[in-house]
Amino acid sequence: MKWKLATVFLGASLALAACGGGDDNAGEQNGGNNGGGDTTAAEQVYQQSCASCHGQDLSGGVGPNLQKVGSKYSADEIKEVITKGRGSMPGGIIQGEDADKVAEWLAAKK
């Protein structure tokens, strides 16, 4: 029972840590970047919200490896995982257009 409680606490702590500070530079992410702006914005959102669990290079860690996630899931399926969560990953860490951009970016990883 103690291990389950510790696991839940650890998971909640990681989720809260991943959520912190995501909007500080939101206006700067999309502005003034005409060449591949969506990819850059998606990468920035990933680094701010996902890299703490999935690794800076998508290689995994607490969360699974995402380097070839696009060969397994479509952008719509990835977005569903982002918005609803799966397993120990909580839903809603990324929302709205940012979730769409990250899902499309990850779907291209094959």
Side-chain angles (χ1 to χ4, degrees):
M1 182 67 176
K2 288 182 182 181
W3 283 106
K4 288 182 182 180
L5 184 60
T7 303
V8 169
F9 179 73
L10 178 63
S13 297
L14 290 173
L16 291 173
C19 293
D23 291 332
D24 292 345
N25 297 321
E28 297 173 15
Q29 289 176 5
N30 297 324
N33 198 358
N34 294 332
D38 285 346
T39 300
T40 301
E43 289 178 66
Q44 289 176 348
V45 171
Y46 173 86
Q47 292 299 324
Q48 292 174 351
S49 302
C50 310
S52 61
C53 293
H54 294 285
Q56 297 291 322
D57 61 353
L58 302 138
S59 63
V62 175
N65 182 318
L66 299 177
Q67 291 175 333
K68 295 183 180 183
V69 70
S71 63
K72 186 173 182 182
Y73 299 108
S74 70
D76 290 336
E77 292 169 323
I78 294 170
K79 183 180 177 191
E80 185 172 330
V81 172
I82 291 170
T83 57
K84 294 183 179 179
R86 179 179 287 172
S88 62
M89 179 179 158
I93 291 175
I94 306 172
Q95 299 177 0
E97 285 185 31
D98 286 344
D100 291 330
K101 290 176 186 176
V102 172
E104 289 290 332
W105 179 71
L106 287 173
K109 305 293 181 192
K110 300 184 184 212

Coordinates of all heavy atoms in Angstrom, one line a residue:
M1 N 0.8 -1.2 0.0 CA 0.0 0.0 0.0 C 0.9 1.3 0.0 O 0.6 2.2 -0.7 CB -0.9 0.0 1.2 CG -1.9 1.1 1.3 SD -3.0 1.1 -0.1 CE -4.0 2.4 0.4
K2 N 2.0 1.2 0.8 CA 2.9 2.4 0.8 C 3.5 2.7 -0.5 O 3.7 3.8 -0.9 CB 3.9 2.2 1.9 CG 3.4 2.3 3.3 CD 4.5 2.1 4.3 CE 4.0 2.2 5.7 NZ 5.1 2.0 6.7
W3 N 3.8 1.6 -1.3 CA 4.5 1.7 -2.6 C 3.5 2.4 -3.6 O 3.9 3.2 -4.4 CB 5.0 0.4 -3.1 CG 6.3 0.0 -2.5 CD1 6.4 -1.0 -1.5 CD2 7.5 0.6 -2.7 NE1 7.7 -1.0 -1.1 CE2 8.4 0.0 -1.8 CE3 8.0 1.6 -3.5 CZ2 9.8 0.3 -1.8 CZ3 9.3 2.0 -3.4 CH2 10.2 1.3 -2.6
K4 N 2.2 2.0 -3.5 CA 1.2 2.6 -4.4 C 1.1 4.0 -4.1 O 1.0 4.9 -5.0 CB -0.1 1.8 -4.2 CG -0.1 0.5 -4.8 CD -1.5 -0.2 -4.7 CE -1.5 -1.6 -5.2 NZ -2.8 -2.2 -5.1
L5 N 1.0 4.4 -2.8 CA 0.9 5.8 -2.5 C 2.1 6.6 -2.9 O 1.9 7.7 -3.4 CB 0.6 5.9 -0.9 CG 0.4 7.3 -0.4 CD1 -0.9 7.9 -1.0 CD2 0.2 7.3 1.1
A6 N 3.3 6.0 -2.7 CA 4.5 6.7 -3.1 C 4.5 6.9 -4.6 O 4.9 7.9 -5.1 CB 5.7 5.9 -2.6
T7 N 4.1 5.9 -5.4 CA 4.0 6.0 -6.8 C 3.1 7.1 -7.3 O 3.4 7.8 -8.2 CB 3.6 4.6 -7.4 OG1 4.6 3.6 -7.0 CG2 3.6 4.7 -8.9
V8 N 1.9 7.1 -6.7 CA 0.9 8.1 -7.0 C 1.5 9.5 -6.7 O 1.4 10.4 -7.5 CB -0.4 7.9 -6.3 CG1 -1.3 9.1 -6.4 CG2 -1.1 6.6 -6.8
F9 N 2.1 9.7 -5.6 CA 2.7 10.9 -5.2 C 3.8 11.4 -6.1 O 3.9 12.5 -6.6 CB 3.2 10.9 -3.7 CG 3.9 12.1 -3.3 CD1 3.1 13.2 -3.0 CD2 5.2 12.2 -3.2 CE1 3.7 14.4 -2.5 CE2 5.8 13.4 -2.7 CZ 5.0 14.5 -2.4
L10 N 4.7 10.4 -6.5 CA 5.7 10.7 -7.4 C 5.2 11.1 -8.8 O 5.6 12.1 -9.4 CB 6.7 9.5 -7.6 CG 7.8 9.7 -8.6 CD1 8.7 10.8 -8.1 CD2 8.6 8.4 -8.7
G11 N 4.2 10.4 -9.3 CA 3.6 10.7 -10.5 C 2.9 12.1 -10.5 O 3.1 12.9 -11.5
A12 N 2.2 12.4 -9.5 CA 1.6 13.7 -9.4 C 2.7 14.8 -9.3 O 2.5 15.9 -9.9 CB 0.7 13.8 -8.1
S13 N 3.7 14.6 -8.6 CA 4.8 15.6 -8.5 C 5.5 15.8 -9.8 O 5.7 17.0 -10.2 CB 5.9 15.1 -7.5 OG 5.4 14.9 -6.2
L14 N 5.7 14.8 -10.6 CA 6.3 14.9 -11.9 C 5.3 15.7 -12.9 O 5.8 16.5 -13.6 CB 6.7 13.6 -12.5 CG 7.8 12.9 -11.8 CD1 8.0 11.5 -12.4 CD2 9.1 13.7 -12.0
A15 N 4.1 15.4 -12.8 CA 3.1 16.0 -13.6 C 3.0 17.5 -13.3 O 3.0 18.4 -14.2 CB 1.7 15.4 -13.5
L16 N 3.0 17.8 -12.0 CA 3.0 19.2 -11.6 C 4.2 20.0 -12.0 O 4.2 21.1 -12.4 CB 2.7 19.4 -10.1 CG 1.3 19.0 -9.7 CD1 1.2 19.0 -8.2 CD2 0.2 19.9 -10.3
A17 N 5.4 19.3 -11.9 CA 6.6 19.9 -12.3 C 6.7 20.2 -13.8 O 7.2 21.2 -14.3 CB 7.8 19.0 -11.9
A18 N 6.1 19.3 -14.6 CA 6.1 19.4 -16.0 C 5.2 20.5 -16.5 O 5.4 21.1 -17.5 CB 5.7 18.1 -16.7
C19 N 4.2 20.8 -15.7 CA 3.2 21.8 -16.0 C 3.7 23.2 -15.7 O 3.2 24.2 -16.3 CB 1.9 21.6 -15.3 SG 1.0 20.1 -15.8
G20 N 4.6 23.4 -14.8 CA 5.0 24.7 -14.3 C 5.6 25.6 -15.4 O 6.5 25.2 -16.1
G21 N 5.2 26.9 -15.4 CA 5.9 27.9 -16.2 C 5.7 27.8 -17.7 O 6.4 28.4 -18.5
G22 N 4.8 27.0 -18.2 CA 4.6 26.8 -19.6 C 4.1 28.0 -20.4 O 4.4 28.1 -21.6
D23 N 3.5 29.0 -19.8 CA 2.9 30.1 -20.5 C 3.8 31.4 -20.4 O 3.5 32.4 -21.0 CB 1.6 30.5 -19.9 CG 0.5 29.4 -20.3 OD1 0.7 28.8 -21.3 OD2 -0.4 29.3 -19.5
D24 N 5.0 31.3 -19.8 CA 5.8 32.5 -19.6 C 6.2 33.1 -20.9 O 6.3 34.3 -21.1 CB 7.0 32.2 -18.8 CG 6.7 31.8 -17.3 OD1 5.6 32.1 -16.9 OD2 7.6 31.3 -16.7
N25 N 6.5 32.3 -21.9 CA 7.0 32.8 -23.2 C 6.1 32.4 -24.3 O 6.5 32.4 -25.5 CB 8.4 32.2 -23.5 CG 9.4 32.6 -22.5 OD1 9.4 33.8 -22.1 ND2 10.3 31.7 -22.1
A26 N 4.8 32.2 -24.1 CA 3.9 31.8 -25.1 C 3.8 32.8 -26.2 O 3.7 32.4 -27.4 CB 2.5 31.6 -24.5
G27 N 3.8 34.0 -26.0 CA 3.7 35.0 -27.1 C 5.0 35.0 -27.9 O 4.9 35.3 -29.1
E28 N 6.1 34.7 -27.4 CA 7.4 34.7 -28.2 C 7.5 33.4 -29.0 O 8.2 33.4 -30.0 CB 8.6 34.7 -27.2 CG 8.6 36.0 -26.4 CD 9.7 36.0 -25.4 OE1 10.6 35.1 -25.4 OE2 9.6 36.8 -24.5
Q29 N 6.8 32.3 -28.7 CA 7.0 31.1 -29.4 C 6.5 31.2 -30.8 O 7.1 30.6 -31.7 CB 6.2 30.0 -28.7 CG 6.8 29.6 -27.4 CD 6.0 28.5 -26.7 OE1 5.0 28.1 -27.2 NE2 6.4 28.2 -25.5
N30 N 5.4 31.8 -31.1 CA 4.8 31.8 -32.4 C 5.1 33.1 -33.2 O 4.8 33.2 -34.4 CB 3.3 31.7 -32.3 CG 2.9 30.3 -31.7 OD1 3.6 29.3 -31.9 ND2 1.9 30.3 -30.8
G31 N 5.7 34.1 -32.6 CA 5.8 35.4 -33.3 C 7.1 35.5 -34.0 O 8.2 35.1 -33.6
G32 N 7.0 36.1 -35.3 CA 8.2 36.4 -36.0 C 9.0 35.2 -36.5 O 10.2 35.4 -36.8
N33 N 8.5 34.1 -36.7 CA 9.2 32.9 -37.2 C 8.5 32.3 -38.4 O 7.7 31.4 -38.2 CB 9.4 31.9 -36.0 CG 10.5 30.9 -36.3 OD1 11.1 31.0 -37.4 ND2 10.7 30.1 -35.4
N34 N 8.8 32.8 -39.6 CA 8.0 32.4 -40.8 C 8.5 31.1 -41.3 O 7.7 30.4 -42.0 CB 8.1 33.5 -41.8 CG 7.4 34.8 -41.4 OD1 6.5 34.7 -40.7 ND2 7.9 35.9 -41.9
G35 N 9.7 30.7 -41.1 CA 10.2 29.5 -41.7 C 10.1 28.3 -40.7 O 10.9 28.2 -39.8
G36 N 9.0 27.5 -40.8 CA 8.9 26.3 -39.9 C 8.5 26.7 -38.5 O 8.9 26.0 -37.6
G37 N 7.7 27.8 -38.4 CA 7.4 28.2 -37.1 C 6.6 27.2 -36.2 O 6.8 27.1 -35.0
D38 N 5.7 26.4 -36.9 CA 5.0 25.4 -36.1 C 5.9 24.4 -35.5 O 5.7 24.0 -34.4 CB 3.9 24.8 -37.0 CG 2.7 25.7 -37.3 OD1 2.6 26.7 -36.5 OD2 2.0 25.4 -38.2
T39 N 6.9 23.9 -36.3 CA 7.8 22.9 -35.8 C 8.6 23.5 -34.6 O 8.7 22.9 -33.6 CB 8.8 22.5 -36.9 OG1 8.0 21.9 -37.9 CG2 9.7 21.4 -36.4
T40 N 9.1 24.7 -34.8 CA 9.9 25.3 -33.7 C 9.0 25.5 -32.4 O 9.4 25.2 -31.3 CB 10.4 26.7 -34.1 OG1 11.3 26.4 -35.3 CG2 11.2 27.3 -33.0
A41 N 7.8 26.0 -32.6 CA 6.8 26.2 -31.5 C 6.5 24.8 -30.9 O 6.5 24.7 -29.6 CB 5.6 26.8 -32.0
A42 N 6.3 23.8 -31.7 CA 6.0 22.4 -31.1 C 7.2 21.9 -30.3 O 7.0 21.3 -29.2 CB 5.7 21.5 -32.3
E43 N 8.4 22.1 -30.8 CA 9.6 21.7 -30.1 C 9.7 22.4 -28.8 O 10.1 21.8 -27.8 CB 10.9 21.9 -31.0 CG 10.9 20.9 -32.1 CD 12.1 21.1 -33.0 OE1 13.3 20.9 -32.5 OE2 12.0 21.5 -34.1
Q44 N 9.5 23.7 -28.8 CA 9.6 24.5 -27.6 C 8.5 24.0 -26.5 O 8.9 23.9 -25.4 CB 9.4 26.0 -27.9 CG 10.6 26.6 -28.6 CD 10.3 28.0 -29.0 OE1 9.2 28.5 -28.9 NE2 11.4 28.7 -29.4
V45 N 7.3 23.8 -27.0 CA 6.3 23.3 -26.1 C 6.7 21.9 -25.5 O 6.6 21.7 -24.3 CB 4.9 23.2 -26.8 CG1 3.9 22.5 -25.9 CG2 4.4 24.6 -27.1
Y46 N 7.2 21.1 -26.4 CA 7.7 19.8 -26.0 C 8.8 19.9 -24.9 O 8.7 19.3 -23.8 CB 8.2 18.9 -27.1 CG 8.9 17.7 -26.7 CD1 8.1 16.5 -26.4 CD2 10.3 17.6 -26.4 CE1 8.7 15.3 -26.0 CE2 10.9 16.5 -25.9 CZ 10.1 15.3 -25.7 OH 10.7 14.2 -25.2
Q47 N 9.7 20.8 -25.1 CA 10.8 21.0 -24.2 C 10.3 21.5 -22.8 O 10.8 21.0 -21.8 CB 11.9 21.9 -24.7 CG 12.7 21.3 -25.9 CD 13.5 20.1 -25.6 OE1 14.0 19.9 -24.5 NE2 13.5 19.2 -26.5
Q48 N 9.3 22.4 -22.9 CA 8.8 22.9 -21.6 C 7.9 22.0 -20.9 O 7.9 22.0 -19.6 CB 8.0 24.2 -21.9 CG 8.9 25.3 -22.4 CD 8.1 26.5 -22.8 OE1 6.9 26.5 -22.9 NE2 8.8 27.6 -23.1
S49 N 7.1 21.2 -21.6 CA 6.1 20.4 -21.0 C 6.3 18.9 -20.9 O 5.6 18.2 -20.2 CB 4.7 20.7 -21.7 OG 4.5 22.1 -21.6
C50 N 7.1 18.4 -21.8 CA 7.2 16.9 -22.0 C 8.6 16.3 -21.7 O 8.7 15.2 -21.3 CB 6.8 16.5 -23.4 SG 5.3 17.2 -24.0
A51 N 9.6 17.1 -22.0 CA 11.0 16.6 -21.9 C 11.4 16.1 -20.6 O 12.3 15.2 -20.5 CB 12.0 17.7 -22.4
S52 N 10.8 16.6 -19.5 CA 11.2 16.1 -18.2 C 10.9 14.7 -18.0 O 11.5 14.0 -17.2 CB 10.5 17.0 -17.1 OG 9.1 16.9 -17.2
C53 N 9.9 14.2 -18.7 CA 9.6 12.7 -18.6 C 10.0 11.9 -19.8 O 10.4 10.8 -19.7 CB 8.0 12.5 -18.4 SG 7.4 13.2 -16.8
H54 N 9.9 12.5 -21.0 CA 10.2 11.8 -22.2 C 11.6 12.1 -22.8 O 12.0 11.5 -23.8 CB 9.2 12.1 -23.3 CG 7.8 11.7 -23.0 ND1 7.4 10.3 -23.0 CD2 6.7 12.3 -22.5 CE1 6.2 10.2 -22.7 NE2 5.7 11.4 -22.3
G55 N 12.4 12.9 -22.1 CA 13.8 13.1 -22.5 C 13.9 14.3 -23.5 O 13.0 14.5 -24.3
Q56 N 15.0 15.0 -23.3 CA 15.3 16.2 -24.2 C 15.3 15.7 -25.7 O 14.9 16.5 -26.6 CB 16.6 16.8 -23.9 CG 16.7 17.4 -22.5 CD 15.8 18.6 -22.3 OE1 15.7 19.4 -23.2 NE2 15.1 18.7 -21.2
D57 N 15.8 14.5 -25.9 CA 15.9 14.0 -27.3 C 14.9 12.9 -27.6 O 15.1 12.1 -28.6 CB 17.3 13.4 -27.5 CG 17.6 12.2 -26.5 OD1 16.8 12.0 -25.6 OD2 18.7 11.6 -26.7
L58 N 13.8 12.9 -26.9 CA 12.7 12.0 -27.1 C 13.0 10.5 -26.7 O 12.3 9.6 -27.1 CB 12.1 12.1 -28.5 CG 11.7 13.4 -29.0 CD1 12.1 13.7 -30.4 CD2 10.2 13.5 -29.0
S59 N 14.2 10.3 -26.1 CA 14.6 9.0 -25.9 C 14.0 8.3 -24.7 O 14.2 7.1 -24.5 CB 16.2 9.0 -25.7 OG 16.5 9.7 -24.5
G60 N 13.2 9.0 -23.9 CA 12.5 8.3 -22.8 C 13.2 8.6 -21.5 O 14.2 9.3 -21.4
G61 N 12.5 8.1 -20.5 CA 13.0 8.3 -19.1 C 11.9 7.8 -18.2 O 11.7 6.6 -18.2
V62 N 11.3 8.7 -17.5 CA 10.1 8.2 -16.7 C 9.0 7.8 -17.7 O 8.3 6.8 -17.5 CB 9.6 9.4 -15.8 CG1 8.3 9.0 -15.1 CG2 10.6 9.7 -14.8
G63 N 8.8 8.6 -18.8 CA 7.9 8.3 -19.8 C 8.6 7.5 -20.9 O 9.8 7.4 -21.0
P64 N 7.8 6.9 -21.9 CA 8.3 6.1 -22.9 C 9.1 6.9 -24.0 O 9.0 8.1 -24.1 CB 7.1 5.4 -23.6 CG 6.0 6.3 -23.2 CD 6.3 7.0 -21.9
N65 N 9.9 6.2 -24.7 CA 10.7 6.7 -25.9 C 9.7 7.2 -26.9 O 8.8 6.5 -27.3 CB 11.6 5.6 -26.4 CG 12.5 6.1 -27.5 OD1 12.1 6.8 -28.4 ND2 13.7 5.7 -27.5
L66 N 9.9 8.4 -27.5 CA 9.0 8.9 -28.5 C 9.7 9.2 -29.8 O 9.1 9.8 -30.7 CB 8.4 10.3 -28.0 CG 7.5 10.2 -26.7 CD1 7.1 11.6 -26.4 CD2 6.4 9.3 -26.9
Q67 N 10.9 8.7 -30.0 CA 11.7 8.9 -31.2 C 11.0 8.4 -32.4 O 11.2 9.0 -33.5 CB 13.1 8.4 -31.0 CG 13.9 9.1 -30.0 CD 15.3 8.5 -29.7 OE1 15.5 7.3 -29.9 NE2 16.2 9.3 -29.3
K68 N 10.3 7.4 -32.4 CA 9.6 6.8 -33.5 C 8.1 6.6 -33.3 O 7.5 5.7 -33.9 CB 10.2 5.5 -33.9 CG 11.7 5.6 -34.4 CD 12.3 4.3 -34.8 CE 13.7 4.6 -35.2 NZ 14.3 3.4 -35.8
V69 N 7.5 7.5 -32.4 CA 6.1 7.3 -32.1 C 5.2 7.5 -33.2 O 4.1 6.9 -33.3 CB 5.8 8.3 -30.9 CG1 5.8 9.8 -31.4 CG2 4.4 8.0 -30.3
G70 N 5.6 8.3 -34.3 CA 4.8 8.5 -35.4 C 4.6 7.2 -36.3 O 3.6 7.1 -37.1
S71 N 5.5 6.2 -36.1 CA 5.3 5.0 -36.9 C 4.3 4.1 -36.2 O 3.9 3.1 -36.8 CB 6.7 4.3 -37.0 OG 7.2 3.9 -35.8
K72 N 3.9 4.4 -35.0 CA 3.0 3.6 -34.2 C 1.6 4.3 -34.1 O 0.6 3.6 -34.1 CB 3.5 3.3 -32.8 CG 2.7 2.3 -32.0 CD 3.4 1.9 -30.7 CE 2.6 0.9 -29.9 NZ 3.2 0.6 -28.7
Y73 N 1.6 5.6 -34.0 CA 0.3 6.3 -33.7 C 0.2 7.5 -34.7 O 1.2 8.1 -35.1 CB 0.3 6.9 -32.3 CG 0.3 5.9 -31.2 CD1 1.5 5.7 -30.5 CD2 -0.8 5.1 -31.0 CE1 1.5 4.8 -29.5 CE2 -0.7 4.1 -30.0 CZ 0.4 4.0 -29.2 OH 0.5 3.0 -28.2
S74 N -1.0 7.8 -35.1 CA -1.3 8.9 -35.9 C -1.3 10.2 -35.1 O -1.3 10.1 -33.9 CB -2.7 8.8 -36.6 OG -3.7 8.9 -35.6
A75 N -1.4 11.4 -35.7 CA -1.4 12.6 -35.0 C -2.7 12.7 -34.1 O -2.6 13.2 -33.0 CB -1.4 13.8 -36.0
D76 N -3.8 12.2 -34.6 CA -5.0 12.2 -33.8 C -4.9 11.3 -32.6 O -5.4 11.7 -31.5 CB -6.2 11.7 -34.7 CG -6.6 12.8 -35.7 OD1 -6.3 14.0 -35.5 OD2 -7.3 12.4 -36.7
E77 N -4.3 10.2 -32.8 CA -4.1 9.3 -31.6 C -3.2 9.9 -30.6 O -3.4 9.8 -29.4 CB -3.6 7.9 -32.1 CG -4.6 7.1 -32.9 CD -4.0 5.9 -33.6 OE1 -2.9 6.0 -34.1 OE2 -4.7 4.9 -33.6
I78 N -2.1 10.5 -31.1 CA -1.2 11.2 -30.2 C -1.8 12.3 -29.4 O -1.7 12.5 -28.2 CB 0.1 11.7 -30.9 CG1 0.9 10.5 -31.5 CG2 1.0 12.5 -30.1 CD1 2.0 10.8 -32.5
K79 N -2.6 13.1 -30.1 CA -3.4 14.2 -29.5 C -4.3 13.7 -28.4 O -4.4 14.3 -27.4 CB -4.1 15.0 -30.5 CG -4.8 16.2 -29.8 CD -5.6 17.0 -30.8 CE -6.3 18.1 -30.0 NZ -7.3 18.8 -30.8
E80 N -4.9 12.5 -28.7 CA -5.8 12.0 -27.7 C -5.1 11.6 -26.4 O -5.5 11.8 -25.3 CB -6.5 10.7 -28.2 CG -7.6 10.2 -27.2 CD -8.4 9.1 -27.9 OE1 -8.7 9.1 -29.1 OE2 -8.8 8.2 -27.1
V81 N -3.9 11.0 -26.6 CA -3.0 10.7 -25.4 C -2.6 12.0 -24.7 O -2.7 12.0 -23.4 CB -1.8 9.9 -25.8 CG1 -0.8 9.7 -24.6 CG2 -2.2 8.5 -26.4
I82 N -2.3 13.0 -25.4 CA -1.9 14.3 -24.8 C -3.0 14.9 -24.0 O -2.9 15.3 -22.9 CB -1.4 15.3 -25.9 CG1 -0.1 14.8 -26.5 CG2 -1.3 16.7 -25.3 CD1 0.4 15.6 -27.7
T83 N -4.2 14.9 -24.6 CA -5.3 15.5 -23.9 C -6.0 14.7 -22.8 O -6.4 15.2 -21.8 CB -6.4 16.0 -25.0 OG1 -6.9 14.8 -25.7 CG2 -5.9 17.0 -25.9
K84 N -6.1 13.4 -23.0 CA -6.8 12.5 -22.1 C -5.8 11.8 -21.1 O -6.2 11.3 -20.1 CB -7.6 11.5 -22.8 CG -8.8 12.1 -23.5 CD -9.7 11.1 -24.2 CE -10.8 11.8 -24.9 NZ -11.7 10.8 -25.6
G85 N -4.6 11.6 -21.5 CA -3.6 10.9 -20.7 C -3.7 9.4 -21.0 O -4.6 8.9 -21.7
R86 N -2.7 8.7 -20.5 CA -2.7 7.2 -20.7 C -1.7 6.7 -19.6 O -0.6 7.2 -19.5 CB -2.2 6.8 -22.1 CG -2.2 5.3 -22.2 CD -1.8 4.9 -23.6 NE -2.9 5.1 -24.5 CZ -2.8 5.0 -25.8 NH1 -1.7 4.6 -26.4 NH2 -3.8 5.2 -26.6
G87 N -2.1 5.6 -19.0 CA -1.2 5.0 -18.0 C -0.9 6.0 -16.9 O -1.8 6.6 -16.3
S88 N 0.4 6.2 -16.6 CA 0.7 7.2 -15.5 C 0.8 8.6 -16.0 O 1.0 9.5 -15.2 CB 2.1 6.8 -14.9 OG 3.1 6.8 -15.9
M89 N 0.6 8.8 -17.3 CA 0.7 10.2 -17.9 C -0.7 10.9 -17.7 O -1.7 10.4 -18.2 CB 1.0 10.2 -19.4 CG 1.0 11.6 -20.0 SD 1.5 11.5 -21.7 CE 0.8 13.0 -22.2
P90 N -0.7 12.0 -17.0 CA -2.0 12.7 -16.8 C -2.3 13.4 -18.1 O -1.5 13.8 -18.9 CB -1.7 13.7 -15.7 CG -0.2 13.9 -15.8 CD 0.4 12.6 -16.3
G91 N -3.6 13.6 -18.3 CA -4.1 14.4 -19.5 C -4.0 15.9 -19.2 O -4.0 16.3 -18.1
G92 N -4.1 16.6 -20.3 CA -4.2 18.1 -20.2 C -2.9 18.8 -19.9 O -3.0 20.0 -19.6
I93 N -1.8 18.2 -20.0 CA -0.5 18.9 -19.7 C -0.3 19.9 -20.8 O 0.1 21.0 -20.6 CB 0.7 17.9 -19.7 CG1 0.6 17.1 -18.4 CG2 2.0 18.7 -19.7 CD1 1.6 16.0 -18.3
I94 N -0.7 19.6 -22.1 CA -0.7 20.5 -23.2 C -2.1 20.6 -23.7 O -2.8 19.6 -23.8 CB 0.2 20.1 -24.3 CG1 1.6 19.8 -23.8 CG2 0.3 21.1 -25.4 CD1 2.5 19.1 -24.8
Q95 N -2.6 21.8 -24.0 CA -4.0 22.0 -24.5 C -4.0 22.9 -25.7 O -3.1 23.6 -26.1 CB -4.8 22.7 -23.3 CG -4.8 21.8 -22.1 CD -5.6 22.5 -21.0 OE1 -6.1 23.6 -21.1 NE2 -5.7 21.9 -19.8
G96 N -5.2 22.8 -26.4 CA -5.5 23.7 -27.5 C -4.6 23.5 -28.7 O -4.2 22.4 -29.0
E97 N -4.2 24.6 -29.3 CA -3.3 24.6 -30.5 C -2.0 24.0 -30.2 O -1.4 23.3 -31.1 CB -3.2 26.0 -31.0 CG -4.4 26.5 -31.8 CD -4.1 27.9 -32.4 OE1 -2.9 28.1 -32.8 OE2 -5.0 28.7 -32.5
D98 N -1.5 24.2 -29.0 CA -0.2 23.6 -28.6 C -0.3 22.1 -28.7 O 0.7 21.4 -29.2 CB 0.3 24.0 -27.3 CG 0.8 25.5 -27.2 OD1 1.0 26.0 -28.3 OD2 0.9 26.0 -26.1
A99 N -1.4 21.5 -28.2 CA -1.5 20.0 -28.3 C -1.6 19.6 -29.8 O -1.0 18.5 -30.1 CB -2.8 19.6 -27.6
D100 N -2.2 20.3 -30.6 CA -2.3 20.0 -32.0 C -0.9 20.0 -32.7 O -0.5 19.1 -33.4 CB -3.2 21.0 -32.8 CG -4.7 20.8 -32.5 OD1 -5.1 19.7 -32.1 OD2 -5.4 21.9 -32.5
K101 N -0.2 21.1 -32.4 CA 1.2 21.2 -33.0 C 2.1 20.1 -32.5 O 2.9 19.6 -33.3 CB 1.8 22.6 -32.6 CG 1.1 23.7 -33.3 CD 1.6 25.1 -32.8 CE 0.8 26.2 -33.4 NZ 1.3 27.5 -32.9
V102 N 2.1 19.8 -31.2 CA 3.0 18.8 -30.7 C 2.6 17.4 -31.2 O 3.5 16.6 -31.6 CB 3.0 18.8 -29.1 CG1 3.8 17.6 -28.6 CG2 3.6 20.1 -28.6
A103 N 1.3 17.2 -31.4 CA 0.9 15.9 -31.9 C 1.3 15.7 -33.4 O 1.8 14.6 -33.7 CB -0.7 15.8 -31.8
E104 N 1.2 16.8 -34.2 CA 1.6 16.7 -35.6 C 3.1 16.5 -35.6 O 3.6 15.7 -36.5 CB 1.2 18.0 -36.3 CG -0.3 18.1 -36.6 CD -0.8 17.2 -37.6 OE1 0.0 16.7 -38.5 OE2 -2.0 16.8 -37.5
W105 N 3.8 17.2 -34.8 CA 5.3 17.1 -34.8 C 5.7 15.7 -34.4 O 6.6 15.2 -35.0 CB 5.8 18.2 -33.8 CG 7.3 18.2 -33.7 CD1 8.3 18.6 -34.6 CD2 8.0 17.8 -32.5 NE1 9.5 18.5 -34.0 CE2 9.4 18.0 -32.8 CE3 7.7 17.4 -31.2 CZ2 10.4 17.8 -31.8 CZ3 8.7 17.1 -30.3 CH2 10.0 17.3 -30.6
L106 N 5.1 15.2 -33.4 CA 5.5 13.8 -32.9 C 5.1 12.8 -34.0 O 5.8 11.8 -34.2 CB 4.9 13.5 -31.6 CG 5.5 14.2 -30.4 CD1 4.7 13.9 -29.1 CD2 6.9 13.8 -30.2
A107 N 3.9 13.0 -34.7 CA 3.5 12.0 -35.7 C 4.5 11.9 -36.8 O 4.5 10.9 -37.5 CB 2.1 12.4 -36.2
A108 N 5.2 13.0 -37.0 CA 6.3 12.9 -38.1 C 7.5 12.2 -37.7 O 8.4 11.9 -38.5 CB 6.6 14.4 -38.5
K109 N 7.6 11.8 -36.4 CA 8.8 11.0 -36.0 C 8.6 9.6 -36.3 O 7.8 8.9 -35.6 CB 9.0 11.2 -34.4 CG 9.0 12.7 -34.0 CD 10.3 13.3 -34.5 CE 10.4 14.7 -34.0 NZ 11.4 15.5 -34.7
K110 N 9.3 9.1 -37.3 CA 9.1 7.7 -37.8 C 10.4 7.0 -37.9 O 11.4 7.5 -38.0 CB 8.4 7.7 -39.1 CG 7.0 8.3 -38.9 CD 6.2 8.2 -40.2 CE 4.9 8.9 -39.9 NZ 3.8 8.5 -40.5

